[in-house]
Amino acid sequence: MVEITRSFEIEVDIIDDDHRRLVDSINEIIQALNNEQFELCAQLVPDFVDLSKQHFRREESLLAKYDYPQTDNHIKHHASLDDKMETMLALATKVADSPPAAEALRKELIFFMMDDIINEDMDFKSFMVNATAGKA
Amino acid sequence: MDGLHMVGIEHAYGNTNVLNNVSLTVPAGELVCLLGPSGCGKTTLLRIAGGMEKLQAGTVTIDEEIVAEPGHQLPPEDRKIGYMFQDYALFPHLTIIDNVTFGLFRMDKAEAVKRAMEMLDLVGMAQHAAKHPHMLSGGQQQRIALARALAPKPRLVLLDEPFSGLDTNMRAKIREETLMILKHTNVATMMVTHDPEEAMFMADRIKVMGDNGKVLQSGRPADIYYKPVDEYVARLFGPMNHIDGIVHNGAIGSSFGDIKTDDAENGQAVRLLIRPEGVVLHDGKGTDGGTPVDVVSAHLLGDSSIVRCSLREGANKGAEFQVRIAGAFDAAAMGQVHAHVDPRHTFVYPHDKQ
């Protein structure tokens, strides 16, 4: 299971709350995979993808609001994750018949969350912590 | 979450920045490979994780314990990390069993020997426990290095070009064994290599690094190979054929016909890259006759051949390109040779003509 511990916190409440929701969603999917509830898994993955896209839009608005200088680059990064989300959606349709697909989906979800979302958000952590403190 | 988490790592040697705000995660049980050329900062990142290089900025966390942050550096021996290096780094004056028990100084002697023998058994080297390193082959020494790395039950294993010193056949064998054992032990592993094939074979996730330690792309091996983000990443996996052109009606005109692209706007100058394995040679008798070509040379490499061809007609007549085919190439059996392009092996990037 995945958890957001201290080292993964961005220290911006809106973003950390989003990340926790995404992690909860991933853990539901992993639980479904562990229990071989593949139909449920196939339903949960599109929800996770939708949740991710909502998070990206919310985060992009927040970065723009605080004039983060690399906002455009971060938007491009989010756009670059479309292929990975498509991959996860495709894997979700195959997990019932393919143990390798289930394992690939599990790995992809964890790396997507921890590396593609949270680690990339670390780029703006110090900027946003200062910015949100200043405007609070 | 168990595993390695590095956040905001920056590092400079004098005035030269080698790492610029790098963050990465290696979950327990997964193997992440840092792939890049010499000088890209990948080994520096590994040494910072291991405590062999002093952290300048950022945080290193292993299994939720902060092992390095500004003002706090846990020494390498207290981080519970196993290492494998290119040169094995075995102590030549110690026997194999003494090499493996060397890092078990916190255990009593009998327990250390028991653990070391378990690890030697795991790597299939228990029968060599009484020998000295010079009595073993390179592959056997690397197995001992793996046993020594895993003996203290590390939270993290760091592999620094571990198979570079081995000959081709031994390298393939040892890396497969090493991967199997690492997966069996469910430990987080970070490996650095400049060898794309090695990264593809070993990694659950590859992070491609460019200059100044910038991470250019992260993803599954298949993502890196089939969806490279730019020309640099695409070219990591070997030579490429390229065609410069302008996009018209969603396609790039080439001697192989129009090649469709969704990756560029109409009117945009682009470079089309085609992997050598993305060009298919045939006798032209199918429904699509393909582009007639002449064979310039063919070299059998073992399981594949590199065939150099040139265009037989058209505006680019004589232009050469490279093809990789499975097995041996028999031009005489094929007669007239034609070529077409498999779009899965083509990539389009914006290209400014300088």
Side-chain angles (χ1 to χ4, degrees):
Chain A
M1 290 297 181
V2 182
E3 57 181 324
I4 302 275
T5 43
R6 190 171 79 84
S7 61
F8 291 97
E9 285 178 355
I10 306 297
E11 297 175 23
V12 176
D13 287 346
I14 298 172
I15 295 174
D16 284 331
D17 288 347
D18 268 5
H19 287 172
R20 286 194 185 89
R21 269 191 289 275
L22 289 167
V23 162
D24 288 346
S25 175
I26 283 178
N27 285 336
E28 267 191 273
I29 298 168
I30 291 175
Q31 189 71 50
L33 286 171
N34 290 344
N35 295 339
E36 300 186 355
Q37 297 170 291
F38 298 125
E39 276 188 33
L40 175 61
C41 175
Q43 292 165 13
L44 291 173
V45 171
D47 292 345
F48 169 75
V49 167
D50 286 344
L51 210 54
S52 299
K53 289 178 177 173
Q54 289 167 26
H55 162 62
F56 294 157
R57 300 299 89 80
R58 196 159 28 243
E59 187 172 271
E60 289 161 10
S61 298
L62 197 67
L63 296 178
K65 177 182 167 187
Y66 286 96
D67 296 324
Y68 175 57
Q70 300 294 322
T71 298
D72 286 348
N73 283 342
H74 206 72
I75 292 171
K76 277 185 197 160
H77 166 66
H78 286 162
S80 77
L81 299 179
D82 285 351
D83 278 345
K84 288 181 179 171
M85 289 188 280
E86 290 299 320
T87 298
M88 288 189 282
L89 290 168
L91 287 170
T93 65
K94 295 175 186 159
V95 290
D97 304 317
S98 166
E103 187 52 29
L105 176 61
R106 186 198 314 268
K107 281 181 196 295
E108 196 54 21
L109 284 165
I110 293 172
F111 279 119
F112 184 79
M113 185 70 229
M114 300 325 228
D115 217 26
D116 294 327
I117 297 182
I118 295 181
N119 283 336
E120 291 293 331
D121 287 358
M122 291 293 174
D123 282 353
F124 60 68
K125 177 175 177 175
S126 60
F127 176 90
M128 286 301 288
V129 167
N130 289 332
T132 51
K135 291 193 179 180
Chain B
M1 197 178 80
D2 282 353
L4 169 69
H5 191 203
M6 304 180 81
V7 178
I9 305 298
E10 297 186 10
H11 204 83
Y13 294 112
N15 293 326
T16 307
N17 279 335
V18 290
L19 294 171
N20 189 12
N21 198 16
V22 177
S23 299
L24 63 81
T25 299
V26 187
E30 307 293 345
L31 194 152
V32 171
C33 199
L34 307 178
L35 172 66
S38 298
C40 73
K42 59 188 188 301
T43 295
T44 301
L45 197 58
L46 179 134
R47 289 172 58 82
I48 290 170
M52 295 163 282
E53 193 76 47
K54 190 176 177 188
L55 181 86
Q56 295 174 355
T59 310
V60 181
T61 306
I62 302 174
D63 289 0
E64 280 309 312
E65 180 191 6
I66 294 176
V67 298
E69 61 185 347
H72 165 66
Q73 305 268 348
L74 208 59
E77 63 272 22
D78 291 337
R79 295 190 183 194
K80 295 183 186 164
I81 293 176
Y83 305 91
M84 264 176 86
F85 302 102
Q86 177 181 345
D87 60 1
Y88 325 131
L90 300 177
F91 299 114
H93 60 291
L94 296 181
T95 60
I96 297 309
I97 187 71
D98 287 343
N99 264 280
V100 180
T101 56
F102 186 82
L104 305 178
F105 53 88
R106 289 190 177 89
M107 292 183 186
D108 70 49
K109 178 78 177 166
E111 191 185 355
V113 169
K114 181 170 179 284
R115 173 70 182 162
M117 286 307 296
E118 283 171 4
M119 289 299 99
L120 287 173
D121 191 42
L122 183 69
V123 301
M125 294 297 291
Q127 71 275 29
H128 300 291
K131 292 179 180 171
H132 281 78
H134 74 271
M135 301 163 77
L136 303 178
S137 69
Q140 289 173 320
Q141 289 188 55
Q142 200 54 300
R143 286 196 189 104
I144 303 301
L146 178 62
R148 187 179 60 178
L150 296 175
K153 297 183 181 169
R155 303 183 294 188
L156 171 69
V157 170
L158 299 175
L159 309 178
D160 188 359
E161 306 270 9
F163 314 115
S164 303
L166 303 173
D167 65 51
T168 307
N169 288 338
M170 186 55 73
R171 187 161 61 226
K173 182 172 161 55
I174 295 293
R175 75 182 178 195
E176 188 169 0
E177 289 175 3
T178 301
L179 181 60
M180 198 172 67
I181 290 166
L182 288 169
K183 288 293 171 187
H184 174 74
T185 54
N186 201 41
V187 66
T189 305
M190 183 161 78
M191 174 171 125
V192 305
T193 182
H194 66 278
D195 180 344
E197 185 187 303
E198 199 149 282
M200 296 278 286
F201 183 88
M202 295 287 286
D204 295 299
R205 168 161 282 222
I206 296 173
K207 290 181 94 75
V208 179
M209 296 178 72
D211 292 339
N212 298 325
K214 187 173 166 52
V215 175
L216 303 175
Q217 187 172 1
S218 296
R220 299 175 305 153
D223 294 328
I224 307 291
Y225 189 79
Y226 287 111
K227 297 170 186 169
V229 290
D230 60 22
E231 184 171 348
Y232 176 87
V233 177
R235 286 185 182 277
L236 275 179
F237 294 91
M240 284 280 199
N241 302 297
H242 77 259
I243 297 169
D244 294 337
I246 307 287
V247 178
H248 290 295
N249 298 323
I252 303 147
S254 82
S255 301
F256 302 104
D258 286 350
I259 295 176
K260 289 184 180 172
T261 177
D262 296 325
D263 299 330
E265 305 285 329
N266 283 329
Q268 189 175 2
V270 296
R271 171 163 286 180
L272 169 70
L273 298 177
I274 308 168
R275 290 198 195 284
E277 55 269 43
V279 184
V280 180
L281 299 180
H282 53 96
D283 60 12
K285 290 177 182 163
T287 50
D288 173 11
T291 302
V293 301
D294 291 316
V295 173
V296 177
S297 63
H299 300 275
L300 178 63
L301 303 178
D303 58 354
S304 66
S305 294
I306 291 292
V307 185
R308 181 156 281 282
C309 300
S310 69
L311 297 169
R312 190 179 303 151
E313 54 194 46
N316 296 314
K317 181 180 176 181
E320 293 192 2
F321 58 95
Q322 204 175 79
V323 185
R324 181 186 284 269
I325 62 162
F329 177 73
D330 186 350
M334 193 173 281
Q336 288 274 358
V337 180
H338 292 69
H340 74 256
V341 168
D342 177 350
R344 291 177 305 161
H345 294 280
T346 65
F347 312 101
V348 174
Y349 304 107
H351 181 63
D352 295 326
K353 290 179 185 173
Q354 299 288 328

